Amino acid sequence: MPQVYNWQLGREMSYPYEERHPQWQFAFVFNTNRCIACQTCTMACKSTWTFSRGQEYMWWNNVETKPYGGYPRNWDAKLLAMLEAANPGGQTWSTADKETESKPYGEFQGQTIFEAAARRVGPEGAQAVMGYLPTEAEWRTPNLHEDSATGGKWQPGKFDGSTQLPEHRVWFFYLARICNHCTYPGCLGACPRQAIYKRPEDGIVLIDQTRCRGYRKCVEGCPYKKVMYRGNTHTSEKCVGCYPRIEGSDPELCPDGAPIETRCMSVCVGKIRLQGLVKIGEDGRWAHDPENPLHFLIRERQVALPLYPQFGTEPNGFYIPPRWVPRGYLYQMFGPGVDHAIEQYSCPDRELLAVLQLFRAQRQILFRFKIEQGPKVAEVAVRMPSGEERVQEIFNDTVIGFNKFGKEVVRVTIDEPVFERPKEKHANSI
Ligand code: SF4
Ligand code: SF4
């Protein structure tokens, strides 16, 4: 198999095809600390793309409650167990040798779904990509175990001190998920018809419906289980990244051709989502672009981390990890960058605090941000995950976001302005 470079693993890995990269890459950051599982994103996607016959169980966007929830059921626990069985005790990271550009989280020393596939030989021979096909029953319950917590010792009349940071003893959190439009997609690598492709202009991964024969190898090969089979058309379907909005070609929403964020991002009530496009350089790596909000959060500050980077697909969805969840669980889910990310998020400096205000401040894709400094307005005592007490200085800075054409499209201050309605003019019914 050809060798390709995976920056999230900090090393080369084998992949069924030669390395090839788009000019821009669709990417997003989800802040798990803020998701309230309202499912507005889920319904926005459903009512746009998957409301027809044969798509009844398709949830291209879903929000599951971890650790027990999952759609399809136990998708991650099952694959993690398969990888562990293929490489017992070997799925580990080395963090001794980190380097910001080429190995920001260190080096993964275990096996990816592409590397472990050769060890899983079935009746059809070895798989191209290690994976499994969920059963129909596993697809039936998109929100099973919602709000189910784990941990702690429950005693009548006692709450067990479970809400103390740095870790809650009783915990759960919401994990919003869509297709990661991976750099090395498992779905694409597994398709024997070469019906799946990655667009050179934005890295969105699509299925050519005229080539698809419904073999479901993509369903098997996507580690995140974000390809779904449609029984009445006998083809597979997946998230299309709302590409007319990304292209700026939606005539109603994008009259001037400026790209707009996807449906699920635009509607997010909890303001957990920021989506955009990152520039890919000639060498296939992320171009150095620290004024791009996503580049800043993911590569500069490393406050947002890939979901299960050890699978090896180089997913382009990144998560700010939940602060209260036991670290062992988070290391497995987001890799060794967790401590650094939570440290950053617990007490953001003024630049990071400003960029965090851009989440859902408007719906055009932001290609650049700028910060105008304001006066100091507060000092806040913060207890860090290590137990250290810090004082966070808050400045009333203004963060400004620019669209693809360099036009200012949003301006947010840290100190949210308060307007009081004049009592003489407006009756107050509250
Ligand atoms: S998340 Fe799954 S469906 Fe989406 S690009 Fe990656 S492998 Fe393919
Ligand atoms: S709309 Fe936002 S807050 Fe609501 S479930 Fe979706 S990601 Fe979470």
Side-chain angles (χ1 to χ4, degrees), residues 30 35 37-48 59-63 175-178 263-269 272-273:
F30 288 175
C35 180
C38 61
Q39 306 284 3
T40 313
C41 48
T42 307
M43 295 317 296
C45 176
K46 186 98 188 131
S47 58
T48 307
W59 301 95
W60 291 353
N61 180 108
N62 78 296
V63 182
L175 186 73
R177 301 201 303 117
I178 64 167
R263 286 279 288 133
C264 60
M265 311 286 171
S266 300
V267 298
C268 177
V269 173
I272 86 153
R273 296 174 174 229

Side-chain angles (χ1 to χ4, degrees), residues 281-340:
E282 299 265 297
D283 57 358
R285 311 277 173 89
W286 285 34
H288 184 66
D289 188 9
E291 290 178 347
N292 178 310
L294 289 184
H295 190 285
F296 175 82
L297 294 167
I298 298 159
R299 304 306 300 269
E300 292 289 307
R301 292 311 174 87
Q302 297 177 19
V303 70
L305 303 168
L307 180 64
Y308 292 118
Q310 67 270 40
F311 291 166
T313 63
E314 209 185 279
N316 290 299
F318 298 83
Y319 292 79
I320 303 180
R323 288 175 65 192
W324 61 92
V325 171
R327 292 299 165 90
Y329 189 86
L330 297 180
Y331 296 147
Q332 176 174 257
M333 184 170 266
F334 301 113
V338 165
D339 291 334
H340 175 81

